[in-house]
């Protein structure tokens, strides 16, 4: 390994994961203490990033009012949704394959280059598409143009973050989250101070870009080459899984922007800015689970006591966190948003139900992804997406403000049930028997 590795965070020597040719070695389980430390750094960083984003939108809501708050929240949701189309999935693939390469000392430069090329193509296309969409919402040429940078910048952030975690750099990721979050807030203060309201998306775009530069995943040389077989198919299935899980939350905000009255959009956006950081906790934990379990034997089944314990403990923690936020909604919302807070409190409680279900579903999904069962995750999650979109379409005419929330809750519940059912199903072996016959990645 070269100096780009982080020896103190390197996983224990494992067995070969599904789909990667090679002789199976006895799998050594990653220590629970190491997993907790990485999860703490990743979660701490994502919480800091979420708090910074919350503060960002709170400042915009107070300084510019409901309409601008709604527009900015919709563009930020668009950036997350667009990243799901490829950049986030490419990052998940990088995380899984890099983690395996680190564990066995393999050369992963070709795999990283392949994923980076596809990422670059995707953000160019997605950034270009974002401009007319943002223009249709805001009718502000400068804001629409900067939306392209926001979409591309978040795509770079999503790819770099998960790729770096695959290399075991959770501490670097956590510190970069904190630093770039503060950078974004400082930049926003400067933009508002000089009265350049149309540039309010630039500071957060700069923050995402700086994060990507600091944490960009780079390939590392090794004595043997990590095969590229199946990398893109794994990523493609991961796109469907990501859109089907995280996509519904972003569609909830987008549907409010499209169908609700401008004043109502500001109320919904206020609630959404509180709910979104809460949803990031599950993503932070799942980003740790994928590389941590990628090199283990097994098929990601929840019948494994260790995996089931992680899922149950995480669920119990989420009950406490989300329950507390819901209970304090009536008190907290007016503090953050004096204009929209009272009306936004019940909207927040509804969103939190969906975010809670969505968040705990990320854990069984991450176990399955780590085992290479991305196709099954995608199919299970798509059932929830279809159910959620149908509910939104049916109810949007009678309840334009809350249709997105209702669809999000229903879709998240369906996805959770489907993922848990798949997780408890025996499934096919992912490591030993598959690699012995040199299978390709799903």
């Amino acid at each position: 390994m070269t100096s780009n590795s982080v020896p103190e965070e390197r996983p224990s020597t494992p067995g070969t994961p599904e789909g990667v040719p090679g002789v199976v070695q006895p799998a050594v389980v990653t220590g629970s203490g190491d997993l907790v430390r990485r999860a703490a750094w990743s979660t701490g960083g994502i919480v800091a990033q979420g708090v910074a984003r919350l503060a960002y939108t709170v400042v915009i809501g107070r300084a510019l009012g409901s309409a601008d708050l709604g527009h900015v929240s919709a563009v930020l949701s668009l950036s997350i949704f667009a990243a799901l189309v490829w950049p986030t999935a490419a990052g998940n693939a990088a995380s899984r394959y890099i983690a395996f390469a680190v564990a066995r000392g393999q050369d992963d430069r070709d795999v990283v280059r392949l994923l980076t090329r596809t990422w670059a193509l995707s953000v160019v296309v997605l950034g270009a598409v974002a401009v007319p969409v943002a223009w249709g919402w805001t009718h502000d040429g400068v804001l629409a143009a900067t939306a392209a940078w926001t979409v591309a910048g978040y795509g770079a952030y999503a790819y770099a973050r998960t790729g770096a975690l695959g290399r075991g750099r959770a501490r670097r990721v956590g510190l970069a989250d904190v630093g770039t979050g503060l950078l974004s807030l400082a930049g926003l203060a400067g933009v508002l101070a000089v009265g350049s309201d149309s540039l309010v998306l630039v500071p957060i775009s700069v923050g995402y870009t700086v994060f990507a530069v600091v944490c960009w995943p780079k390939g590392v040389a090794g004595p043997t080459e990590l095969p590229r077989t199946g990398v893109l198919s794994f990523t493609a299935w991961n796109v469907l899984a990501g859109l089907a899980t995280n996509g519904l939350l972003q569609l909830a905000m987008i549907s409010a922007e499209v169908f609700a009255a401008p004043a109502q959009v500001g109320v919904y956006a206020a609630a959404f800015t509180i709910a979104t950081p809460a949803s990031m906790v599950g993503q932070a934990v799942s980003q740790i689970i994928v590389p941590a379990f990628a090199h283990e034997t097994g098929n990601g089944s929840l019948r494994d006591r260790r995996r089931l314990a992680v899922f149950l403990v995480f669920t119990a923690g989420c009950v406490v966190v989300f329950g507390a936020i819901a209970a304090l909604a009536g008190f907290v919302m007016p503090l953050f948003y004096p204009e929209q807070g009272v009306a936004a409190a019940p909207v927040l409680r509804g969103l939190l139900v969906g975010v809670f279900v969505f968040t705990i579903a990320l854990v069984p999904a991450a176990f399955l992804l780590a085992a290479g069962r991305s196709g099954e995750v995608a199919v299970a999650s798509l059932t929830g997406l279809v159910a959620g979109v149908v509910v939104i379409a049916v109810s949007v005419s009678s309840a334009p403000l809350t249709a997105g929330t209702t669809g999000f809750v229903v879709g998240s519940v369906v996805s959770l049930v489907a993922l848990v059912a798949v997780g408890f199903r025996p499934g096919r072996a992912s490591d030993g028997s598959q690699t012995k016959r040199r299978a390709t990645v799903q």
Side-chain angles (χ1 to χ4, degrees):
M1 300 293 291
T2 70
S3 58
N4 286 336
S5 303
V6 182
E8 67 273 15
E9 297 187 13
R10 178 174 174 170
S12 302
T13 302
T16 307
E18 177 201 3
V20 182
V23 178
V24 179
Q25 301 173 7
V28 179
V29 177
T30 302
S32 58
D34 184 52
L35 181 62
V36 169
R37 282 191 298 272
R38 295 191 193 186
W41 276 110
S42 179
T43 304
I46 209 75
V47 167
Q49 192 72 238
V51 169
R53 178 168 164 164
L54 171 61
Y56 199 93
T57 50
V58 167
V59 171
I60 291 173
R62 285 175 173 266
L64 304 179
S66 290
D68 287 299
L69 173 62
H71 292 327
V72 169
S73 295
V75 171
L76 291 176
S77 290
L78 175 65
S79 70
I80 296 174
F81 187 84
L84 294 172
V85 174
W86 191 264
T88 298
N92 288 337
S95 179
R96 181 175 188 260
Y97 286 92
I98 287 174
F100 172 68
V102 168
R104 294 193 67 193
Q106 286 190 304
D107 190 322
D108 58 9
R109 290 176 296 179
D110 281 350
V111 169
V112 173
R113 277 195 293 265
L114 173 64
L115 289 169
T116 300
R117 285 197 298 267
T118 64
W119 164 85
L121 177 62
S122 70
V123 294
V124 170
V125 174
L126 293 169
V129 171
V131 175
V133 174
W135 165 256
W137 291 343
T138 66
H139 299 291
D140 184 323
V142 176
L143 191 63
T146 56
W149 187 4
T150 305
V151 168
Y154 185 83
Y157 169 82
Y159 177 66
R161 191 178 204 280
T162 46
L165 290 173
R167 191 71 71 193
R169 292 170 175 164
R171 181 171 53 191
R172 176 182 295 188
V173 164
L175 293 174
D177 271 325
V178 173
T180 56
L182 293 174
L183 175 65
S184 298
L185 289 174
L188 177 62
V191 166
L192 294 176
V194 299
S196 301
D197 297 350
S198 294
L199 298 177
V200 291
L201 289 173
V202 171
I204 198 167
S205 303
V206 170
Y208 289 144
T209 304
V210 171
F211 180 99
V213 171
V214 172
C215 297
W216 196 256
K218 298 178 181 178
V220 173
T224 60
E225 186 174 333
L226 178 68
R228 301 196 312 175
T229 306
V231 171
L232 295 184
S233 63
F234 176 87
T235 309
W237 278 115
N238 204 257
V239 169
L240 291 178
L243 286 171
T245 50
N246 199 13
L248 263 180
L249 175 58
Q250 311 312 321
L251 284 178
M253 181 66 237
I254 292 171
S255 69
E257 171 71 16
V258 173
F259 297 108
Q264 290 181 312
V265 175
V267 170
Y268 196 89
F272 191 83
T273 59
I274 303 293
T276 301
S279 73
M280 294 178 177
V281 174
Q283 296 174 55
V285 173
S286 68
Q287 288 172 356
I288 289 295
I289 288 175
V290 171
F293 285 80
H295 57 276
E296 288 195 4
T297 57
N299 61 2
S301 173
L302 289 175
R303 295 186 179 195
D304 176 82
R305 290 184 179 181
R306 184 176 178 229
R307 294 184 180 92
L308 182 59
V310 171
F311 177 52
L312 293 178
V313 169
F314 181 71
T315 300
C318 286
V319 168
V320 175
V321 172
F322 288 99
I325 297 173
L328 295 172
F331 172 74
V332 170
M333 289 303 300
L335 292 180
F336 287 133
Y337 299 100
E339 180 184 345
Q340 306 92 349
V342 174
V347 178
L348 173 61
R349 293 191 181 100
L351 278 171
L352 284 173
V353 174
V355 171
F356 165 73
V357 178
F358 156 77
T359 299
I360 62 174
L362 290 173
V363 173
F367 286 134
L368 294 169
L369 288 174
R373 298 171 66 181
S374 54
E376 293 174 82
V377 173
V379 172
S381 302
L382 280 172
T383 59
L385 176 63
V386 172
V389 170
V390 168
V391 170
I392 293 174
V394 169
S395 58
V396 73
S397 59
S398 58
L401 182 64
T402 58
T405 300
T406 306
F408 173 49
V409 172
V410 171
S412 297
V413 170
V414 172
S415 292
L416 173 63
V417 172
L419 286 166
V420 170
V422 172
F424 274 105
R425 195 175 65 193
R428 53 180 172 70
S430 64
D431 291 323
S433 62
Q434 293 290 327
T435 49
K436 283 177 182 177
R437 40 193 188 87
R438 305 173 74 86
T440 57
V441 176
Q442 285 274 38

